[in-house]
Amino acid sequence: MKRRDFIGLATVSAGALAFENAPGFSITGANEISADLVIAGAGLGGCAAALSALRNGLKVVLTEETDWIGGQLTSQGVPPDEHQWIETHGSTKTYRQLRTNIRNYYKQHYPLTADTIARPDFNPGNGLVSALCCEARVAETVLYNMLAPYIHSKKLVLLTDHTIAAADVTGDKVRSLKAVNNLTGKGIILSAPYFIDATELGDLLPITGTEYITGAESKNETKELHAPETIDPKNQQAFTICFAMDHIDGANNVINKPAGYEKWRNFVPQLTPPWPGKLLDFTYCNPQTLANSTLAFDPTGKNTGDKMNLWNYRRILDKSNFKEGAFTSDVTLVNWPQNDYLLGNLIDVSKEERQKHIDDAKQLSLSLFYWLQTEAPRIDGGTGWPGLRLRGDVLGTKDGLAKAPYVRESRRIKAVFTILEEHVGAQNRALVVGKDKTGKATNFYDTVGTGYYRIDLHPSDAGTNYIDIESLPFQISLGALLPQRMENLLPACKNIGTTHITNGCYRLHPVEWSIGEAAGLLVAIALKKQTIPRAIRENHQLLEEFQRVVSSFGIDMHWLL
């Protein structure tokens, strides 16, 4: 039996039998499981929430739509976007352990050179975007191994290939969720005193009737310096279908021309400020200045001068890290401006429209790959790199594309407290408190974590170009994790109480992990104290006690800069 068949409960009856003796779990019927906590979505936030709840003795059910856990790091294929202090602080102990475990996996299973092994902070891909550019399949294996002791001790039920289809809600409380097996169509009822939404799009919010926001708030509403003048719920950042590729010099690996190639070959983004020309080109808008800039591409490692070589940008395997002959090529992950999908989004649309956009985005990425193979201008004056090869094996797929779209923006809860640009944006904060008074983000009294990244918004389907501005090392406010009304549903990723603007720095890998870890701990403390999460924030003594627990688990709550 394949591992995924077992942990995904390939059939409802088999799943019920597998867990009928699990302490803490109640099987009230052939298709029902009751636990302490149900988490929908096994991305980084969902996995972190599960681990923190499990370490505190809770019994957890964790569902995932794909057959891989890990979300943006794995099924979406994207190596971690991190800040420069990540090796020592500004995250959580368990996130740093995840990074250490990934490096150790390479040391244990890959033929690294002696020089590479000697570097404690070696980067498997030596990509430019992160100090830990690694293969998605490796990250998924490591994450699963972190959960494995709880799965096999029957403290965690992991339901991969399951989608939440419905909810039973009474008043301000969720009673249960219905998860449907994507492979068999069979349903299972999941009940618990608490639920966490760690889905990529905040899917539990509409299903449970939890109030939420999408898209961009207006400047009049939030007073944010970079907010648009008018509210636009459909102004959402582009999503991307990523892919992995290597290069075999002298080979002809050219794929069949994608069905949508002519469309995407001639596509010109309609953005404000304007894009410089066709999307499939190495000229683009510099995210920070919006000036026309030119990138370069060369998979052979030749010097590209003052232009950044896209091959190195998100490279996830650098063959020079490994013994000679171990690999014939580097492997790079393509999440570039050229495959950002701008013609629609995935939130609050019909299943048919959602699938249409995903299929269209796949055609864009395949068209970009074919263009690189056949028409892309080369530094030496030629065109195309026919030796480029899709590496679906790295991403666990047959078509060479990631299992799931890389999602930058989710539904966001209407929170007890909303994080605004004035709290974390360098320019906006200086206007509020005075340029000479602070170089720090707002100090949240209810902090439950830290994070840092530039406010980085990609072009949107509403025609807005990049918003990429300086932010300040920030904290995660507990109030941003609390819905205004619902008592037993918490967010655990990009669906917290941020705005369209501040989502741009709270959406990255380590921040999502920190949010999830705090949410899992919050459920554990709420159950222990027999109170609701909102009451913990409102009671000074309970809040201080909770923060001590958070700190004791190695979660950085303050910056020491």
Side-chain angles (χ1 to χ4, degrees), residues 213-218 221-222 224 226-228 230-238 345 408-410 412 418-421 455-462 464-467 494 496-507:
I213 299 167
T214 63
E217 298 89 346
S218 69
E221 180 183 2
T222 65
E224 292 176 303
H226 291 87
T230 57
I231 188 172
D232 187 353
K234 295 187 178 297
N235 183 357
Q236 298 167 38
Q237 295 178 70
N345 221 290
R408 297 181 176 89
E409 191 165 352
S410 169
R412 306 183 296 277
T418 301
I419 300 166
L420 305 175
E421 187 183 350
I455 293 177
D456 172 18
L457 278 74
H458 279 233
S460 76
D461 58 336
T464 301
N465 210 325
Y466 286 106
I467 299 175
K494 297 177 288 290
I496 66 169
T498 58
T499 64
H500 175 68
I501 298 295
T502 56
N503 162 77
C505 61
Y506 277 80
R507 65 178 178 82

Side-chain angles (χ1 to χ4, degrees), residues 34 47 131 167 181 259 265 326 379 430 500 503:
S34 178
C47 286
N181 187 314
R265 180 175 180 268
I379 297 292
H500 175 68
N503 162 77

Side-chain angles (χ1 to χ4, degrees), residues 331-351:
V331 180
T332 197
L333 192 283
V334 180
N335 172 27
W336 301 347
Q338 291 88 348
N339 61 331
D340 277 358
Y341 182 77
L342 297 165
L343 297 184
N345 221 290
L346 307 177
I347 294 176
D348 293 343
V349 296
S350 67
K351 289 183 179 179

Side-chain angles (χ1 to χ4, degrees), residues 75-76 200 239-242 346 354 358 402-407:
S75 59
Q76 299 171 35
E200 296 299 323
F239 70 90
T240 306
I241 302 291
C242 302
L346 307 177
R354 183 179 187 274
I358 291 174
K403 290 176 178 287
Y406 173 42
V407 174

Side-chain angles (χ1 to χ4, degrees), residues 197-477:
D197 184 350
T199 62
E200 296 299 323
L201 297 172
D203 289 333
L204 291 196
L205 304 183
I207 290 174
T208 60
T210 302
E211 293 79 7
Y212 65 91
I213 299 167
T214 63
E217 298 89 346
S218 69
K219 190 184 295 288
N220 181 62
E221 180 183 2
T222 65
K223 310 298 189 256
E224 292 176 303
L225 190 61
H226 291 87
E229 294 298 330
T230 57
I231 188 172
D232 187 353
K234 295 187 178 297
N235 183 357
Q236 298 167 38
Q237 295 178 70
F239 70 90
T240 306
I241 302 291
C242 302
F243 60 92
M245 62 181 180
D246 64 7
H247 178 257
I248 308 302
D249 199 23
N252 183 0
N253 296 317
V254 177
I255 64 172
N256 294 329
K257 182 189 290 188
Y261 183 66
E262 294 304 323
K263 167 186 172 178
W264 290 113
R265 180 175 180 268
N266 296 298
F267 177 75
V268 178
Q270 301 301 304
L271 300 173
T272 304
W275 197 260
K278 293 180 180 180
L279 185 62
L280 298 192
D281 194 275
F282 292 135
T283 299
Y284 80 126
C285 283
N286 181 293
Q288 296 174 26
T289 67
L290 296 180
N292 292 353
S293 302
T294 303
L295 300 163
F297 178 76
D298 191 309
T300 67
K302 293 179 181 177
N303 190 343
T304 56
D306 60 351
K307 297 180 179 63
M308 186 184 75
N309 187 352
L310 282 166
W311 180 260
N312 300 331
Y313 183 46
R314 294 186 187 271
R315 185 173 53 191
I316 54 178
L317 188 146
D318 182 350
K319 66 178 182 179
S320 70
N321 276 329
F322 306 90
K323 292 179 180 178
E324 187 173 355
F327 294 96
T328 56
S329 170
D330 301 340
V331 180
T332 197
L333 192 283
V334 180
N335 172 27
W336 301 347
Q338 291 88 348
N339 61 331
D340 277 358
Y341 182 77
L342 297 165
L343 297 184
N345 221 290
L346 307 177
I347 294 176
D348 293 343
V349 296
S350 67
K351 289 183 179 179
E352 293 75 19
E353 184 175 352
R354 183 179 187 274
Q355 192 59 51
K356 173 183 175 298
H357 289 315
I358 291 174
D359 292 342
D360 209 15
K362 288 183 176 181
Q363 282 295 305
L364 167 58
S365 286
L366 290 172
S367 295
L368 170 58
F369 179 70
Y370 182 78
W371 178 79
L372 290 169
Q373 289 183 311
T374 59
E375 295 192 65
R378 296 166 52 135
I379 297 292
D380 61 11
T383 55
W385 299 92
L388 292 173
R389 179 174 61 173
L390 285 171
R391 290 295 304 271
D393 57 317
V394 173
L395 298 171
T397 63
K398 293 181 179 179
D399 62 7
L401 305 176
K403 290 176 178 287
Y406 173 42
V407 174
R408 297 181 176 89
E409 191 165 352
S410 169
R411 300 175 181 90
R412 306 183 296 277
I413 63 166
K414 286 189 176 181
V416 169
F417 176 77
T418 301
I419 300 166
L420 305 175
E421 187 183 350
E422 70 178 65
H423 298 130
V424 298
Q427 187 180 1
N428 202 154
R429 182 141 178 78
L431 290 175
V432 172
V433 302
K435 294 181 179 180
D436 300 325
K437 291 185 179 180
T438 183
K440 297 183 178 180
T442 299
N443 184 38
F444 295 136
Y445 77 91
D446 62 345
T447 176
V448 291
T450 54
Y452 176 67
Y453 204 75
R454 290 180 65 86
I455 293 177
D456 172 18
L457 278 74
H458 279 233
S460 76
D461 58 336
T464 301
N465 210 325
Y466 286 106
I467 299 175
D468 190 318
I469 54 178
E470 184 183 354
S471 69
L472 301 163
F474 55 78
Q475 295 172 324
I476 299 167
S477 163

Side-chain angles (χ1 to χ4, degrees), residues 16-25 27 154:
L17 289 172
F19 296 103
E20 73 179 344
N21 295 318
F25 291 103
I27 308 299
K154 298 192 175 185

Side-chain angles (χ1 to χ4, degrees), residues 37 120 179 185 235 253 276 287 298 371 377 386 489 511 529 532 538 540:
L37 171 64
N235 183 357
N253 296 317
D298 191 309
W371 178 79
L489 175 68
V511 185
K529 296 295 182 180
I532 61 173
E538 293 169 351
H540 179 74

